[in-house]
Amino acid sequence: MQKVVQLDDVSFNRFHFKIAGLTFGAHLTDGYVLGVIGFALAQIKPQMGLTPFWEGMLGSSALIGLFIGSLALGWVADYLGRQKIFCFSFLVISVASALQFFAHTPEQLFLLRVVIGIGLGGDFSVGHTMLAEFSPRKHRGVILGSFSVLWTIGYVAASFAGHFMTALGPEGWRWLLASSALPAVIILLLRIGTPESPRWLMRKGRSVQALAIVHRYFGPHVTLQAEMPSARQHSLLTLFTPRYRKRTAFNSLFFVCLVIPWFAIYTFLPSILQSMGLDKNFATDLLLSALLIVGALLGIVLTVFCSRRGFLIGSFLFLAACLVALSLLPTSMALWQIVCFAAFTLIMSAVSNLVGVFPAESFPTEVRSMGVGFATSMSRLGSAIGTLLLPLAIMHYGTATTMGLLAVILIIGALVSLAWAPETKGLTLVDASDTATNPRKKPVHQATSSF
């Protein structure tokens, strides 16, 4: 007779690989969607006569949609189930991506990219949630963090596609933006038939269905750690009750402080490099792309060997130091500027792995999608504001001062993490969400010490 095993402790199998692949495919699409707009804007700007305002609005449009989708669809997923949003989100992305080809005004393109962002935001909420709820704790950090590698590959693919498609002619931007529909449709078709999260079913009192899914995909000897049934319907205000408000604040603020510099800098990378006296060409793109991918892979290694908390705090401080150096170095010291920018790119890509880990491990099943969605929505709102304001900041204050302001945001992230970041490494989802309530408490199951 086989020994009974908890879902948290099962071996990694083909189903884990499939659900991870479907989630990672979504992040590849997300990276691609957010990456192509920078290249498309170079052609759209003269054709549509874009003002700096509309250039910023189009650059931040998908991020605005991500804010709305993460907030709204995360709540819906906790209410109706993960699987429905898991498929619906990519139906929305597929249709809106294809329609970008026919946009003729900034307003039309803005609305379509907001809709794409809504779909991506919903997927961020349920993708991380489903992956966390199916994954064994031994591999959860690596699996959740690995999405950053695929996001980076999507972002890098956007760079190569941008160079190729914008060279096709003045209408190349249409093919470039609409090309995101291809991976979206593939992912949508592959997601059909994905099972519901057994943890969500257990919370809804549907334990027979939950165990049937567990037995089908993991074997009859596998059981599920107790999830107390709850008929209560939670609202977003639940995230601000005494039980959840600290973890809500931490996950939202650290996420915001990481992604504002990321999206602000990389959306307008050509303008920033030009103001630093550096050229952005294919060779530069190739170097930055390699650094992003190497950084994402480095992040997986650091997630395995470092404490979650120590990795996050150390990265915030290092990234802030890089931007301070960039703000102080004169343009005559181009080599040192390149070194600082390369180091910033490498570590930013590495620590971005944690944005898929902390939110999913911090909230219990009953509000996990909503919590992940809220943190994601706040990060995208911050990113949208940063992306919108960056061209204006560079124009009025210069690159050096703007880099200094972004460094201040990273220091705030370090302080927030010092105060509130929990250590969730090596815990079950139930234990991890309990530990998130008291980040200073050292868990019994934890093998590594907090920072």
Side-chain angles (χ1 to χ4, degrees):
M1 183 177 179
Q2 282 186 297
K3 181 181 177 182
V4 175
V5 178
Q6 292 284 346
L7 182 60
D8 272 308
D9 298 311
V10 297
S11 300
F12 193 84
N13 67 8
R14 290 176 60 186
F15 178 77
H16 289 124
F17 184 82
K18 177 183 177 180
I19 201 74
L22 292 176
T23 305
F24 292 163
H27 290 296
L28 186 146
T29 304
D30 180 44
Y32 188 84
V33 166
L34 296 177
V36 293
I37 189 62
F39 290 89
L41 281 173
Q43 287 190 322
I44 296 171
K45 185 176 179 179
Q47 287 183 28
M48 295 187 180
L50 297 181
T51 62
F53 171 79
W54 270 109
E55 185 180 4
M57 288 293 284
L58 289 177
S60 61
S61 53
L63 298 172
I64 294 170
L66 271 156
F67 162 72
I68 298 170
S70 300
L71 199 62
L73 296 182
W75 174 80
V76 172
D78 279 330
Y79 181 67
L80 293 179
R82 322 296 198 212
Q83 193 271 345
K84 295 179 179 65
I85 303 302
F86 201 56
C87 292
F88 173 75
S89 61
F90 263 80
L91 176 62
V92 170
I93 295 166
S94 300
V95 174
S97 292
L99 289 176
Q100 288 179 107
F101 185 88
F102 304 100
H104 292 285
T105 66
E107 293 84 357
Q108 291 173 350
L109 188 56
F110 173 79
L111 289 174
L112 285 171
R113 290 190 63 78
V114 168
V115 172
I116 292 170
I118 289 173
L120 290 171
D123 192 77
F124 259 82
S125 301
V126 298
H128 289 177
T129 298
M130 287 190 70
L131 198 53
E133 292 178 352
F134 276 115
S135 299
R137 59 175 161 174
K138 181 179 178 181
H139 306 292
R140 188 180 298 122
V142 172
I143 295 171
L144 289 173
S146 297
F147 90 87
S148 181
V149 178
L150 273 294
W151 191 98
T152 303
I153 291 174
Y155 190 84
V156 169
S159 175
F160 289 107
H163 278 290
F164 174 73
M165 293 189 184
T166 54
L168 296 177
E171 298 297 303
W173 66 268
R174 296 183 183 277
W175 294 101
L176 178 61
L177 294 182
S179 64
S180 60
L182 179 60
V185 169
I186 293 172
I187 293 166
L188 172 62
L189 295 175
L190 291 174
R191 283 187 172 186
I192 296 173
T194 305
E196 182 56 84
S197 164
R199 294 182 187 274
W200 181 84
L201 291 169
M202 188 75 79
R203 271 286 179 181
K204 295 298 179 181
R206 295 156 63 180
S207 58
V208 174
Q209 290 175 265
L211 288 173
I213 291 172
V214 170
H215 294 163
R216 178 181 177 184
Y217 291 98
F218 305 104
H221 63 293
V222 179
T223 188
L224 185 60
Q225 188 171 0
E227 295 270 6
M228 294 299 294
S230 175
R232 181 183 175 188
Q233 298 301 333
H234 297 280
S235 69
L236 282 173
L237 294 177
T238 305
L239 297 177
F240 299 94
T241 58
R243 182 183 178 191
Y244 300 121
R245 62 192 177 198
K246 185 177 290 187
R247 68 187 87 181
T248 300
F250 161 68
N251 283 289
S252 299
L253 290 173
F254 105 80
F255 209 158
V256 166
C257 291
L258 269 183
V259 298
I260 284 180
W262 172 277
F263 284 111
I265 288 175
Y266 290 103
T267 300
F268 298 100
L269 187 60
S271 301
I272 292 171
L273 292 179
Q274 185 178 12
S275 67
M276 290 168 58
L278 304 173
D279 292 326
K280 185 177 188 294
N281 49 39
F282 188 77
T284 306
D285 279 340
L286 193 62
L287 175 61
L288 288 173
S289 298
L291 286 170
L292 286 169
I293 293 174
V294 170
L297 294 171
L298 175 64
I300 295 176
V301 175
L302 293 175
T303 301
V304 172
F305 291 103
C306 299
S307 72
R308 308 266 201 267
R309 180 178 162 85
F311 181 20
L312 182 64
I313 295 169
S315 296
F316 266 126
L317 295 174
F318 182 87
L319 292 170
C322 288
L323 290 189
V324 169
L326 282 171
S327 71
L328 297 176
L329 287 170
T331 54
S332 59
M333 301 181 69
L335 178 60
W336 285 106
Q337 286 183 326
I338 293 171
V339 169
C340 287
F341 197 81
F344 176 87
T345 301
L346 188 73
I347 300 304
M348 176 60 84
S349 182
V351 74
S352 294
N353 288 29
L354 292 181
V355 303
V357 178
F358 266 120
E361 291 186 337
S362 296
F363 294 96
T365 303
E366 59 184 345
V367 295
R368 184 167 291 121
S369 280
M370 188 162 56
V372 172
F374 184 83
T376 303
S377 70
M378 291 300 102
S379 76
R380 281 357 187 207
L381 177 62
S383 303
I385 293 172
T387 304
L388 181 62
L389 295 180
L390 187 82
L392 300 175
I394 291 176
M395 181 170 55
H396 290 291
Y397 304 112
T399 302
T401 301
T402 302
M403 292 292 178
L405 292 173
L406 293 175
V408 171
I409 293 173
L410 290 166
I411 291 170
I412 292 171
L415 294 174
V416 167
S417 301
L418 274 167
W420 292 332
E423 182 54 73
T424 58
K425 185 175 181 179
L427 305 182
T428 67
L429 284 184
V430 174
D431 291 333
S433 58
D434 287 342
T435 301
T437 307
N438 183 5
R440 298 294 181 183
K441 179 182 177 182
K442 187 173 181 179
V444 175
H445 303 78
Q446 186 177 317
T448 47
S449 60
S450 296
F451 180 85

